[in-house]
Every structure is written in C-alpha cells, then in structure tokens.
Amino acid sequence: MAIYEVYSHPALLRYKTSICTKATLFLIIVLCLTYISPLLVAYRSQGFWTKLSTYEEQPSITFQYQVLLIAATSTSGDYVAWSTFQNFNNLQGSNLRIPSISAREEDRNQDGKFDQLNLRLSLPLRQSESVYSVQLILTFSYKLFRMSTFIMQSMAYIQHSSSVPGSQLFVSGDLKLQQRQPLKHRGLDTTYNVSVINGNSPFASAYDLTNIIGSYQERNVSTVLSNPSPVWVLGRAAGAPFEINAVIRYPVEIITYPLLCLSINTISCLLRSHADLF
Ligand SMILES: *[C@@H]1O[C@H](CO)[C@@H](O)[C@H](O)[C@H]1NC(C)=O
Ligand SMILES: *[C@@H]1O[C@H](CO)[C@@H](O)[C@H](O)[C@H]1NC(C)=O
C-alpha cells in the first residue's frame, strides 16, 4: 500500500533545568572559550597577519682582545702598524710599532652583562713622526639568548683621518646590531661564529682592510660602531705617544625575528573551529 504525507509540523522541544547544574557550567565555559580565547590569542600575538615580530634583549658582548691598528705617519704613505696576530706583525718589518694597551669592560648595572668597553691605546712615535690617520679594528664575541641562541664574532671599525697631525683620537659610540634578515625564533645559530680576521693566515691578503671589511659587510647580521663622534685632538708634544681613547657601549637591541607561519595557521584553524561551534 502506498504511503503519503497528510500533514507535517516542526516540533520544538525545550529542555529546562535549574540554574545551578553542570549543564549551565558547561554552557558558560563554552561561551567563554568562544569569545575570550581568540581575543587573548589576538592580543598576545599582536595580530594574525604580521610575519615579523621584535623583542628586546641586551646582548652578551665581550671584547676578544683582538686588535689591528694601522696609523699613517706622513702624508706620503709612511705608516706604522700592529696587531694581536703574530702573522700580521711578521709581515710588517720595520713598520711594526708596538703600542701599550689597556682595556676594561664594565658591567654598570650589575646584571652579569658588560655594558661598555673602555680602551686606551698609546702608540710610541719617533721625533720625526706625526699621525695623520688611524684605522683600528676591534673584535667582539656577540651572543643573544632570549629567542634563538645566536652566537657570532663581530667587529667595530674605527677610522679617522685629518690633514693636520693629531695627538689623540677620542671616539665614543654604540656597538649596534645590523640585521639584513630576521633571526631564527629558536634553536642555535652559529652561521657567523667565524673570525673576522683569519689570524692563522701567513698571507698579507688576509689582513688587507679592504678584504676584511668587504667580506664582513657581506654578512646578513653584523655589528657596526654607530655614532662614533670622533674627536681629533691636535698639538702633540715632541716625543709624546699618540693616544687612542675609545668608549664602546653595548646597548639593548631590538631584534627582529619571524613569526612562524605554522603557528599562525594553527591559530586561525582554532578560531574557525570555535566559530563553527555556534
Ligand atoms: C664559536 O667559535 C669559537 C671560536 O672559534 C668556539 O670556541 C666556540 O665553540 C664556537 N661556538 C659555537 C657554539 O659553535
Ligand atoms: C642573506 O640574506 C639574503 C636575503 O635575505 C639571503 O638570500 C641569503 O641566503 C642570506 N645569506 C645567508 C648566509 O644566510
């Protein structure tokens, strides 16, 4: 026998209960999760569409006690030079001049990280010599720990020249991080844990400033002495040494790192599933 529909109506069933039950509690929890957790996530991650984020950290910097100094002693190409690399010194012959150096690193706020380097270099000169220009490389060990562990060997380059001979060069600047690419957000990064100057090389090309600075500047992450404000002091007493005074501060850095795309996707999936619930 054939069956046909005579009449239909939708049925509304209401399930009622008193306020204080587990069902009410469950409903409240679900409501909270739906509206509050996405807000928290959005607040914590500063928006879902940023690909880069930043954080602040004071790097752990220590002076490596590596120095390379070249000073022009006339306007016609005479110079004296010295470095902490024996191979470089061997190449200098009669141009080698050994300065006296004192270096002191200070931890001013007692947080276990050095805040500045005070370097004093005193270069003895002959009666007939005067200093017209100075080129100085200092190398540092540079470490960051907060997100990824980032370890590199970096440098500060100090350079000044004048048409009048000086008695002293004073510089005071910040050793700033230069980032051409974001740092990793976790893990260990030792890409640039390589010597700025290859002190094992017996060849002059390894100590050529053009080569050193050239390959250093190729790095995506490096340090630079920013705002050195060099002061060239005139009037050297006969027979007095030429002095270099450097104050290099290690400031807190704002470091760029990528927000993982994976985590952004996970969060948006999470939000969508919450939205679907209602
Ligand atoms: C970084 O380089 C220094 C000197 O070459 C070495 O002693 C140190 O172990 C290296 N650090 C890492 C984590 O590779
Ligand atoms: C340096 O950055 C460029 C562009 O961001 C990239 O193509 C290159 O692979 C990076 N080099 C290293 C050694 O990471």
Side-chain angles (χ1 to χ4, degrees):
M1 208 196 276
I3 291 174
Y4 68 100
E5 187 179 297
V6 184
Y7 176 66
S8 73
H9 70 98
L12 175 67
L13 300 178
R14 288 183 194 275
Y15 299 89
K16 294 195 174 172
T17 178
S18 63
I19 296 282
C20 303
T21 58
K22 284 181 195 156
T24 320
L25 191 68
F26 177 72
L27 199 70
I28 290 171
I29 290 173
V30 168
L31 270 174
C32 288
L33 281 180
T34 312
Y35 293 106
I36 294 175
S37 60
L39 287 181
L40 284 180
V41 171
Y43 174 72
R44 289 279 301 165
S45 63
Q46 289 128 28
F48 303 117
W49 290 274
T50 45
K51 292 259 165 56
L52 290 177
S53 191
T54 55
Y55 63 96
E56 268 192 3
E57 179 175 354
Q58 171 155 23
S60 301
I61 304 180
T62 48
F63 180 44
Q64 286 185 312
Y65 291 89
Q66 292 179 346
V67 178
L68 194 152
L69 168 73
I70 298 172
T73 50
S74 78
T75 46
S76 54
D78 300 310
Y79 70 96
V80 293
W82 175 81
S83 81
T84 48
F85 306 101
Q86 195 54 49
N87 287 326
F88 173 82
N89 293 348
N90 293 345
L91 291 164
Q92 299 313 314
S94 62
N95 292 322
L96 181 67
R97 186 71 50 85
I98 297 168
S100 70
I101 292 194
S102 78
R104 190 178 81 249
E105 281 173 301
E106 286 175 19
D107 178 6
R108 301 198 137 187
N109 51 9
Q110 306 290 317
D111 64 350
K113 291 176 179 174
F114 289 129
D115 300 307
Q116 78 173 52
L117 165 72
N118 302 307
L119 181 108
R120 233 190 146 80
L121 192 150
S122 180
L123 184 69
L125 293 175
R126 298 205 182 95
Q127 288 286 355
S128 57
E129 289 171 334
S130 301
V131 173
Y132 289 88
S133 86
V134 169
Q135 291 167 310
L136 177 67
I137 290 180
L138 308 171
T139 71
F140 298 87
S141 149
Y142 193 102
K143 293 176 185 159
L144 294 167
F145 294 106
R146 192 169 149 198
M147 300 293 274
S148 62
T149 302
F150 177 79
I151 297 177
M152 79 168 162
Q153 299 181 40
S154 72
M155 74 167 185
Y157 177 56
I158 296 168
Q159 194 254 354
H160 192 78
S161 67
S162 169
S163 54
V164 275
S167 65
Q168 189 195 348
L169 172 66
F170 172 78
V171 291
S172 172
D174 290 352
L175 191 70
K176 294 287 288 175
L177 187 72
Q178 265 195 324
Q179 266 187 285
R180 213 174 284 149
Q181 70 178 34
L183 295 188
K184 290 182 193 163
H185 79 294
R186 66 196 175 91
L188 173 69
D189 187 349
T190 56
T191 316
Y192 298 115
N193 190 24
V194 285
S195 309
V196 176
I197 304 167
N198 178 12
N200 296 324
S201 170
F203 302 111
S205 62
Y207 307 98
D208 185 52
L209 290 189
T210 323
N211 292 342
I212 294 172
I213 309 264
S215 67
Y216 184 76
Q217 293 292 80
E218 291 284 310
R219 292 184 179 194
N220 285 347
V221 186
S222 58
T223 57
V224 68
L225 186 65
S226 113
N227 277 330
S229 321
V231 181
W232 188 252
V233 183
L234 307 178
R236 192 173 60 89
F242 181 82
E243 303 271 354
I244 298 173
N245 267 310
V247 178
I248 298 177
R249 274 173 290 275
Y250 308 151
V252 172
E253 292 288 349
I254 295 177
I255 294 144
T256 321
Y257 71 102
L259 271 184
L260 251 199
C261 293
L262 179 70
S263 71
I264 295 173
N265 288 342
T266 324
I267 292 167
S268 54
C269 278
L270 209 95
L271 287 179
R272 249 181 271 123
S273 65
H274 264 304
D276 291 346
L277 213 71
F278 280 75

